[in-house]
C-alpha cells in the first residue's frame, strides 16, 4: 500500500540530485486534475518512472497519471480492484482484484499485465513482507490472510494463514525489507490491529490490540518500529510499537481519520474525512506539531469542501510531493498534487496607509508568519507598482525582525493606485510567500471644460464642440464622446487625440437628437482623471401643408388659404420620424384683435413621419383661422428631441 524506499546508495544519489535540482528548478504550485474514476480504492507512487497509480473498484480499473496529475494510461478489466503495492525495485505493481479473485502484477515500465495469480475469495489489500506477497481477502463477515511465494520456479499460493478470525478482508502494510506484517480490521468496532512475524513464510502472531473503530488505513514507519492507523475514531492518528503493539503516542488531526502516509524520511501525512476542517496534517520526523496543514477547496454543490478518499495519500520517495485523492459532493474525483509539503507555509501580510499625498514619505509595515518562524534578518523583496511602473519597480529590500514584523518607508512619485508587494523567496524549510496592499496616492485635479452646454440647435445643424484641458503632467490626450438621446443609439467615441498648444481639441457633430457630449481625460501619474459634459438640444424638422383651398391670397399680413364653406381643409404634417412619435396640431381663431385657442390634439405620424388630418364640421364664413404642428418633448411619445413648433398656416372660409 505504501511507496518503497530505494537501496541506500541509490536513495542518497536521489537525495543529492534533488538538492541540485532544487537550486536550479523553479518550484511548482499545488495543482489538481480530475480523475476519470467512479471510486477510489488505493494510491501508490512510482518515483522511478514518475507515475501515480489510483485504483477504481467501482470502475474496475487503475488510472495512471504523471506527476502533474495528467492521465497517461488506464488499465481496465480489473473488476473490484482495490489495494495496490509497489515492489521494492519499483518494477512491478501488485493489485488486489477482488472481482476476479486474483492478485495481478503490472510491469510499471510498460503499464501492461505481467502475471496473474488466482487466490482466495475477494482479495482487498496487498503488501510485500519477507520474501512473499501478502494479501487480505474474504467477503463481509469472513476474512483471512494469504500469500504468494515467488522465490521458486513456480509461484506458490497459500491461503488461510490468519491464525484468527477476521470480520472482513484485513488491511495490510509492512515496512520495506521487513519481516513484520501488520493487519488491521476494517469491518468491526472496535477494530483489531495484529502484527505477524513472516520471516519464515508462515505468519506467527506477535501481538494484538484494538485501534479505534473501522480502520481505514494502516502505515508502518520506514524503520519498521511503529505503525500508525487511521479509523473513524479516535479523532487522531494513534501510533503503536510494532514489536508489541503498545501505544506510542499519536498525531493530532480531527474527526474521522481515514488516511495516513509516511515518506521514506519519516515525514507523516495524516488525513481525515472532514468537510469543514483541514484535511491533511503534515508532521516532520519526530515532530509533535504540524509543519503544514491542507484544507481542500469546495468544487461541489454543497457547503462542505471536497473530502479526502480513504487510503488516499501517497508520497514521492524524496518527499517533494504528496498526492491526495479527493472527491466532491457530485462524486467527482480529483488527484491533488501538493508540492513542497514538508516546508512550512509562509504568509506575508502588508499594511500600507489607505491614502497618502504624492511625493511625501509613507511607511509600510507587515508581518511574516509561519509554523516555523523565519530567522531575524531574513530578506524580503519589495516591489512597487504604479501608473509609471505598471510592471513593477524593485525597491530596496527589507528584513524580518525577531518577532516576524518588518517595515520600510517609500516616497511615491506617482499618484493614483500604488501597490506594494512584499515577498519571501522561500528556503529549505519554508515555502515562498507574498502579500500586497494598495495606497490611494493623491493627484491634482486638472481643469477640463466643454463648450455649448444647454444650447438648442436646429435639426441637422453642424455644431462645433471644443474641449479645453488645463495643466497636466505627461498625458495631453482627450476623448470626446457623443451619447444621443434614445436607447437605440449607443454612446460613441467621436474623437480622440492630443490637445493643441492652446489645450484644445474640437469636433463637429451633425445634431439630429438631443445629445450629451462628454470630454474625458484619463489622468496621468500626477493628475487625476476628469470629465466634463455638455447637454445640447436638437429640434425636429417640421412643416405643415394645407390643401383643398380654391385660392391663396396675401392679406391681413399673412398668406391665407381660402376655402368654400362646404370644403373640409386637409392639413398634412411632415416631421422627423421616430418610432411611436405623434405631432400636436393646434387650431386658433382671430377675434377682436387677438388669437384664441380653438382646440388641439395629438395625431400619430407614419413611419416616414407624415400625418394627415381633415378639419370637418360646419364651417362658418367671415372668421380667420390659423393652424400649426408641434413636437412636444415627452408628450409627443418620446424624449429624443427638444420641443419644436412649426410655422403657422392661415386660412378662412367663404360662401
Amino acid at each position: 500500500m505504501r511507496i518503497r524506499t530505494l537501496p541506500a546508495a541509490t536513495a542518497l544519489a536521489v537525495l543529492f540530485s534533488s538538492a541540485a535540482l532544487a537550486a536550479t528548478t523553479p518550484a511548482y504550485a499545488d495543482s489538481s486534475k480530475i480523475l476519470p474514476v467512479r471510486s477510489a480504492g488505493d494510491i501508490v507512487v512510482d518515483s522511478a518512472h514518475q507515475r501515480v497509480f489510483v485504483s477504481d473498484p467501482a470502475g474496475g480499473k487503475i488510472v495512471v497519471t504523471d506527476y502533474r496529475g495528467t492521465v497517461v494510461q488506464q488499465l481496465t478489466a480489473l473488476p473490484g480492484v482495490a489495494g495496490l503495492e509497489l515492489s521494492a525495485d519499483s518494477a512491478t505493481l501488485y493489485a488486489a482484484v477482488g472481482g476476479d479473485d486474483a492478485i495481478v502484477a503490472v510491469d510499471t515500465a510498460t503499464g501492461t499485465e505481467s502475471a496473474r495469480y488466482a487466490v482466495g475469495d475477494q482479495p482487498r489489500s496487498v503488501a510485500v513482507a519477507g520474501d512473499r506477497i501478502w494479501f487480505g481477502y474474504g467477503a463481509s463477515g469472513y476474512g483471512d490472510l494469504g500469500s504468494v511465494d515467488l522465490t521458486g520456479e513456480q509461484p506458490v499460493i497459500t491461503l488461510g494463514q490468519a491464525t484468527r478470525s477476521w470480520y472482513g478482508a484485513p488491511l495490510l502494510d509492512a515496512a520495506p525489507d521487513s519481516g513484520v506484517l501488520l493487519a488491521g480490521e476494517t469491518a468491526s468496532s472496535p477494530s483489531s490491529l495484529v502484527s505477524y512475524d513472516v520471516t519464515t513464510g508462515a505468519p506467527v502472531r506477535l501481538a494484538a490490540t484494538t485501534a479505534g473503530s473501522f480502520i481505514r488505513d494502516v502505515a508502518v514507519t520506514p524503520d519498521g518500529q511503529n505503525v500508525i492507523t487511521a479509523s473513524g475514531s479516535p479523532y487522531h492518528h494513534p501510533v503503536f510499537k510494532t514489536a508489541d503493539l503498545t501505544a506510542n503516542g499519536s498525531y493530532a488531526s480531527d474527526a474521522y481519520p481515514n488516511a495516513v502516509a509516511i515518506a521514506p524520511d519519516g515525514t507523516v501525512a495524516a488525513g481525515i474525512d472532514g468537510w469543514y476542517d483541514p484535511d491533511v496534517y503534515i508532521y516532520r520526523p519526530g515532530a509533535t506539531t504540524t509543519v503544514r496543514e491542507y484544507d481542500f477547496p469546495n468544487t461541489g454543490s454543497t457547503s462542505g469542501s471536497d473530502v479526502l478518499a480513504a487510503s488516499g495519500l501517497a508520497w514521492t520517495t524524496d518527499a517533494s510531493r504528496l498526492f491526495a485523492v479527493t472527491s466532491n459532493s457530485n462524486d467527482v474525483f480529483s488527484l491533488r498534487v501538493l508540492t513542497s509539503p514538508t516546508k512550512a507555509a509562509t504568509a506575508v501580510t502588508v499594511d500600507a496607509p489607505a491614502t497618502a499625498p504624492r511625493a511625501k514619505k509613507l511607511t509600510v509595515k507587515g508581518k511574516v508568519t509561519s509554523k516555523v518562524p523565519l530567522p531575524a534578518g531574513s530578506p524580503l523583496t519589495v516591489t512597487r507598482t504604479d501608473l509609471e511602473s505598471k510592471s513593477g519597480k524593485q525597491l530596496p529590500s527589507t528584513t524580518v525582525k525577531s518577532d516576524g514584523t518588518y517595515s520600510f518607508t517609500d516616497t511615491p512619485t506617482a499618484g493614483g493606485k500604488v501597490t506594494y508587494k512584499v515577498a519571501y523567496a522561500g528556503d529549505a524549510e519554508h515555502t515562498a510567500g507574498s502579500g500586497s496592499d494598495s495606497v490611494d496616492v493623491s493627484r491634482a485635479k486638472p481643469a477640463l471644460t466643454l463648450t455649448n452646454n444647454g444650447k438648442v440647435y436646429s435639426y441637422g445643424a453642424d455644431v462645433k464642440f471644443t474641449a479645453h484641458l488645463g495643466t497636466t503632467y505627461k498625458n495631453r490626450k482627450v476623448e470626446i464622446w457623443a451619447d444621443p438621446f434614445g436607447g437605440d443609439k449607443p454612446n460613441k467615441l467621436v474623437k480622440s487625440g492630443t490637445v493643441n498648444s492652446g489645450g484644445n481639441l474640437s469636433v463637429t457633430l451633425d445634431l439630429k437628437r438631443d445629445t450629451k457630449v462628454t470630454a474625458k481625460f484619463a489622468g496621468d501619474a500626477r493628475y487625476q482623471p476628469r470629465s466634463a459634459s455638455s447637454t445640447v438640444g436638437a429640434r425636429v424638422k417640421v412643416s405643415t401643408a394645407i390643401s383643398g383651398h380654391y385660392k391663396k391670397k396675401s392679406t391681413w399680413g399673412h398668406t391665407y388659404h381660402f376655402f368654400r364653406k362646404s370644403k373640409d381643409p386637409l392639413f398634412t404634417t411632415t416631421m422627423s420620424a421616430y418610432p411611436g412619435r405623434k405631432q400636436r396640431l393646434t387650431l386658433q381663431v382671430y377675434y377682436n384683435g387677438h388669437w384664441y385657442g380653438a382646440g388641439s390634439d395629438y395625431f400619430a405620424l407614419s413611419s416616414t413621419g407624415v400625418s394627415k388630418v381633415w378639419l370637418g364640421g360646419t364651417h362658418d364664413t367671415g372668421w380667420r383661422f390659423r393652424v400649426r404642428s408641434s413636437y412636444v418633448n415627452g408628450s409627443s411619445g418620446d424624449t429624443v428631441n427638444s420641443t419644436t413648433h412649426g410655422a403657422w398656416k392661415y386660412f378662412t372660409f367663404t360662401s
Side-chain angles (χ1 to χ4, degrees), residues 226-229 234-240 246-253 268 270 283 286-290:
N226 293 283
V227 58
I228 306 172
T229 62
Y235 294 164
H236 58 261
H237 286 65
V239 183
F240 303 91
T246 57
N248 193 27
S250 66
Y251 290 97
S253 52
V268 173
Y283 290 86
T288 57
T289 59
T290 58

mmCIF file of all heavy atoms in Angstrom, residues 226-229 234-240 246-253 268 270 283 286-290:
data_model
loop_
_atom_site.group_PDB
_atom_site.id
_atom_site.type_symbol
_atom_site.label_atom_id
_atom_site.label_comp_id
_atom_site.label_asym_id
_atom_site.label_seq_id
_atom_site.Cartn_x
_atom_site.Cartn_y
_atom_site.Cartn_z
ATOM 1 N N ASN A 226 7.320 1.390 14.219
ATOM 2 C CA ASN A 226 5.995 1.851 14.635
ATOM 3 C C ASN A 226 4.992 1.693 13.504
ATOM 4 O O ASN A 226 5.370 1.623 12.320
ATOM 5 C CB ASN A 226 6.037 3.329 15.062
ATOM 6 C CG ASN A 226 6.844 3.548 16.319
ATOM 7 O OD1 ASN A 226 6.383 3.275 17.428
ATOM 8 N ND2 ASN A 226 8.069 4.053 16.152
ATOM 9 N N VAL A 227 3.714 1.661 13.874
ATOM 10 C CA VAL A 227 2.626 1.629 12.908
ATOM 11 C C VAL A 227 1.619 2.701 13.296
ATOM 12 O O VAL A 227 1.337 2.908 14.485
ATOM 13 C CB VAL A 227 1.963 0.237 12.844
ATOM 14 C CG1 VAL A 227 1.422 -0.181 14.203
ATOM 15 C CG2 VAL A 227 0.835 0.230 11.810
ATOM 16 N N ILE A 228 1.100 3.404 12.291
ATOM 17 C CA ILE A 228 0.110 4.465 12.504
ATOM 18 C C ILE A 228 -1.191 4.020 11.856
ATOM 19 O O ILE A 228 -1.191 3.494 10.734
ATOM 20 C CB ILE A 228 0.578 5.795 11.885
ATOM 21 C CG1 ILE A 228 1.963 6.168 12.419
ATOM 22 C CG2 ILE A 228 -0.422 6.905 12.173
ATOM 23 C CD1 ILE A 228 2.586 7.357 11.714
ATOM 24 N N THR A 229 -2.298 4.222 12.542
ATOM 25 C CA THR A 229 -3.604 3.835 11.994
ATOM 26 C C THR A 229 -4.493 5.051 11.828
ATOM 27 O O THR A 229 -4.314 6.079 12.493
ATOM 28 C CB THR A 229 -4.311 2.819 12.904
ATOM 29 O OG1 THR A 229 -4.555 3.420 14.177
ATOM 30 C CG2 THR A 229 -3.476 1.561 13.071
ATOM 31 N N PRO A 234 -10.433 6.861 17.262
ATOM 32 C CA PRO A 234 -10.483 8.205 17.848
ATOM 33 C C PRO A 234 -10.177 9.287 16.814
ATOM 34 O O PRO A 234 -9.727 8.986 15.702
ATOM 35 C CB PRO A 234 -9.395 8.140 18.918
ATOM 36 C CG PRO A 234 -8.395 7.161 18.352
ATOM 37 C CD PRO A 234 -9.236 6.119 17.661
ATOM 38 N N TYR A 235 -10.409 10.551 17.244
ATOM 39 C CA TYR A 235 -10.223 11.671 16.326
ATOM 40 C C TYR A 235 -8.771 12.153 16.320
ATOM 41 O O TYR A 235 -8.479 13.352 16.450
ATOM 42 C CB TYR A 235 -11.163 12.810 16.689
ATOM 43 C CG TYR A 235 -12.626 12.462 16.494
ATOM 44 C CD1 TYR A 235 -13.622 13.237 17.073
ATOM 45 C CD2 TYR A 235 -13.011 11.365 15.732
ATOM 46 C CE1 TYR A 235 -14.970 12.921 16.897
ATOM 47 C CE2 TYR A 235 -14.345 11.041 15.552
ATOM 48 C CZ TYR A 235 -15.325 11.830 16.143
ATOM 49 O OH TYR A 235 -16.645 11.511 15.968
ATOM 50 N N HIS A 236 -7.868 11.218 16.189
ATOM 51 C CA HIS A 236 -6.453 11.481 15.969
ATOM 52 C C HIS A 236 -5.862 10.221 15.346
ATOM 53 O O HIS A 236 -6.569 9.228 15.153
ATOM 54 C CB HIS A 236 -5.737 11.855 17.279
ATOM 55 C CG HIS A 236 -5.833 10.809 18.353
ATOM 56 N ND1 HIS A 236 -6.737 10.871 19.381
ATOM 57 C CD2 HIS A 236 -5.141 9.647 18.554
ATOM 58 C CE1 HIS A 236 -6.602 9.825 20.177
ATOM 59 N NE2 HIS A 236 -5.643 9.056 19.685
ATOM 60 N N HIS A 237 -4.583 10.263 15.036
ATOM 61 C CA HIS A 237 -3.913 9.127 14.409
ATOM 62 C C HIS A 237 -2.991 8.474 15.445
ATOM 63 O O HIS A 237 -1.875 8.967 15.692
ATOM 64 C CB HIS A 237 -3.104 9.580 13.187
ATOM 65 C CG HIS A 237 -3.947 9.920 11.994
ATOM 66 N ND1 HIS A 237 -4.833 10.971 11.982
ATOM 67 C CD2 HIS A 237 -4.042 9.326 10.764
ATOM 68 C CE1 HIS A 237 -5.425 11.032 10.804
ATOM 69 N NE2 HIS A 237 -4.977 10.040 10.049
ATOM 70 N N PRO A 238 -3.434 7.375 16.070
ATOM 71 C CA PRO A 238 -2.612 6.740 17.109
ATOM 72 C C PRO A 238 -1.406 6.018 16.522
ATOM 73 O O PRO A 238 -1.415 5.562 15.379
ATOM 74 C CB PRO A 238 -3.578 5.762 17.777
ATOM 75 C CG PRO A 238 -4.612 5.484 16.749
ATOM 76 C CD PRO A 238 -4.748 6.730 15.926
ATOM 77 N N VAL A 239 -0.366 5.892 17.368
ATOM 78 C CA VAL A 239 0.876 5.220 16.992
ATOM 79 C C VAL A 239 1.089 4.036 17.939
ATOM 80 O O VAL A 239 0.891 4.160 19.157
ATOM 81 C CB VAL A 239 2.082 6.174 17.077
ATOM 82 C CG1 VAL A 239 3.359 5.471 16.614
ATOM 83 C CG2 VAL A 239 1.828 7.432 16.248
ATOM 84 N N PHE A 240 1.490 2.892 17.377
ATOM 85 C CA PHE A 240 1.761 1.700 18.178
ATOM 86 C C PHE A 240 3.142 1.165 17.810
ATOM 87 O O PHE A 240 3.574 1.242 16.650
ATOM 88 C CB PHE A 240 0.711 0.607 17.903
ATOM 89 C CG PHE A 240 -0.701 1.053 18.152
ATOM 90 C CD1 PHE A 240 -1.460 1.606 17.114
ATOM 91 C CD2 PHE A 240 -1.274 0.923 19.400
ATOM 92 C CE1 PHE A 240 -2.762 2.008 17.329
ATOM 93 C CE2 PHE A 240 -2.578 1.319 19.628
ATOM 94 C CZ PHE A 240 -3.335 1.866 18.595
ATOM 95 N N THR A 246 2.076 -1.851 21.734
ATOM 96 C CA THR A 246 1.733 -0.935 22.816
ATOM 97 C C THR A 246 1.678 0.483 22.259
ATOM 98 O O THR A 246 2.352 0.818 21.277
ATOM 99 C CB THR A 246 2.766 -1.008 23.946
ATOM 100 O OG1 THR A 246 4.073 -0.716 23.403
ATOM 101 C CG2 THR A 246 2.749 -2.373 24.600
ATOM 102 N N ALA A 247 0.838 1.320 22.890
ATOM 103 C CA ALA A 247 0.667 2.697 22.423
ATOM 104 C C ALA A 247 1.980 3.451 22.504
ATOM 105 O O ALA A 247 2.742 3.310 23.479
ATOM 106 C CB ALA A 247 -0.397 3.399 23.248
ATOM 107 N N ASN A 248 2.247 4.263 21.485
ATOM 108 C CA ASN A 248 3.498 5.018 21.438
ATOM 109 C C ASN A 248 3.248 6.432 20.930
ATOM 110 O O ASN A 248 3.943 6.927 20.054
ATOM 111 C CB ASN A 248 4.514 4.295 20.555
ATOM 112 C CG ASN A 248 5.921 4.853 20.721
ATOM 113 O OD1 ASN A 248 6.263 5.388 21.767
ATOM 114 N ND2 ASN A 248 6.735 4.725 19.678
ATOM 115 N N GLY A 249 2.193 7.070 21.471
ATOM 116 C CA GLY A 249 1.882 8.443 21.089
ATOM 117 C C GLY A 249 0.806 8.516 20.023
ATOM 118 O O GLY A 249 0.130 7.522 19.704
ATOM 119 N N SER A 250 0.645 9.693 19.461
ATOM 120 C CA SER A 250 -0.361 9.901 18.416
ATOM 121 C C SER A 250 -0.053 11.184 17.669
ATOM 122 O O SER A 250 0.730 12.025 18.130
ATOM 123 C CB SER A 250 -1.770 9.980 19.017
ATOM 124 O OG SER A 250 -1.889 11.141 19.839
ATOM 125 N N TYR A 251 -0.686 11.339 16.509
ATOM 126 C CA TYR A 251 -0.598 12.559 15.716
ATOM 127 C C TYR A 251 -1.958 13.239 15.742
ATOM 128 O O TYR A 251 -2.975 12.637 15.364
ATOM 129 C CB TYR A 251 -0.180 12.252 14.276
ATOM 130 C CG TYR A 251 1.254 11.798 14.164
ATOM 131 C CD1 TYR A 251 1.573 10.449 14.110
ATOM 132 C CD2 TYR A 251 2.281 12.731 14.127
ATOM 133 C CE1 TYR A 251 2.898 10.035 14.012
ATOM 134 C CE2 TYR A 251 3.614 12.321 14.031
ATOM 135 C CZ TYR A 251 3.909 10.973 13.982
ATOM 136 O OH TYR A 251 5.219 10.573 13.896
ATOM 137 N N ALA A 252 -1.985 14.486 16.207
ATOM 138 C CA ALA A 252 -3.254 15.215 16.284
ATOM 139 C C ALA A 252 -3.793 15.480 14.886
ATOM 140 O O ALA A 252 -3.048 15.850 13.973
ATOM 141 C CB ALA A 252 -3.055 16.534 17.026
ATOM 142 N N SER A 253 -5.088 15.260 14.715
ATOM 143 C CA SER A 253 -5.750 15.571 13.438
ATOM 144 C C SER A 253 -7.144 16.097 13.765
ATOM 145 O O SER A 253 -7.265 17.117 14.442
ATOM 146 C CB SER A 253 -5.778 14.349 12.519
ATOM 147 O OG SER A 253 -6.308 13.208 13.177
ATOM 148 N N VAL A 268 5.254 12.370 8.186
ATOM 149 C CA VAL A 268 3.927 11.764 8.260
ATOM 150 C C VAL A 268 2.882 12.708 7.680
ATOM 151 O O VAL A 268 2.859 13.908 7.997
ATOM 152 C CB VAL A 268 3.560 11.420 9.723
ATOM 153 C CG1 VAL A 268 2.105 10.950 9.827
ATOM 154 C CG2 VAL A 268 4.500 10.363 10.262
ATOM 155 N N ALA A 270 -1.120 12.841 7.792
ATOM 156 C CA ALA A 270 -2.307 12.273 8.426
ATOM 157 C C ALA A 270 -3.534 12.941 7.830
ATOM 158 O O ALA A 270 -3.660 14.163 7.861
ATOM 159 C CB ALA A 270 -2.259 12.496 9.939
ATOM 160 N N TYR A 283 3.516 16.225 9.484
ATOM 161 C CA TYR A 283 4.437 16.219 10.622
ATOM 162 C C TYR A 283 5.832 15.829 10.145
ATOM 163 O O TYR A 283 6.006 14.780 9.516
ATOM 164 C CB TYR A 283 3.988 15.213 11.688
ATOM 165 C CG TYR A 283 2.735 15.612 12.432
ATOM 166 C CD1 TYR A 283 1.473 15.303 11.923
ATOM 167 C CD2 TYR A 283 2.816 16.276 13.645
ATOM 168 C CE1 TYR A 283 0.319 15.659 12.609
ATOM 169 C CE2 TYR A 283 1.664 16.636 14.348
ATOM 170 C CZ TYR A 283 0.421 16.323 13.820
ATOM 171 O OH TYR A 283 -0.719 16.672 14.503
ATOM 172 N N GLY A 286 9.779 13.085 13.935
ATOM 173 C CA GLY A 286 9.992 13.367 15.346
ATOM 174 C C GLY A 286 9.222 14.547 15.887
ATOM 175 O O GLY A 286 9.275 14.824 17.089
ATOM 176 N N ALA A 287 8.490 15.260 15.039
ATOM 177 C CA ALA A 287 7.781 16.458 15.496
ATOM 178 C C ALA A 287 6.449 16.091 16.135
ATOM 179 O O ALA A 287 5.828 15.074 15.798
ATOM 180 C CB ALA A 287 7.551 17.406 14.326
ATOM 181 N N THR A 288 6.010 16.946 17.069
ATOM 182 C CA THR A 288 4.711 16.748 17.727
ATOM 183 C C THR A 288 3.688 17.781 17.288
ATOM 184 O O THR A 288 2.531 17.708 17.696
ATOM 185 C CB THR A 288 4.880 16.808 19.252
ATOM 186 O OG1 THR A 288 5.467 18.071 19.617
ATOM 187 C CG2 THR A 288 5.769 15.673 19.748
ATOM 188 N N THR A 289 4.105 18.747 16.491
ATOM 189 C CA THR A 289 3.177 19.729 15.927
ATOM 190 C C THR A 289 3.331 19.739 14.414
ATOM 191 O O THR A 289 4.405 19.419 13.881
ATOM 192 C CB THR A 289 3.446 21.144 16.485
ATOM 193 O OG1 THR A 289 4.800 21.520 16.178
ATOM 194 C CG2 THR A 289 3.244 21.179 17.996
ATOM 195 N N THR A 290 2.276 20.120 13.739
ATOM 196 C CA THR A 290 2.299 20.106 12.279
ATOM 197 C C THR A 290 3.215 21.189 11.736
ATOM 198 O O THR A 290 3.345 22.272 12.318
ATOM 199 C CB THR A 290 0.889 20.319 11.696
ATOM 200 O OG1 THR A 290 0.366 21.575 12.175
ATOM 201 C CG2 THR A 290 -0.052 19.201 12.107
#
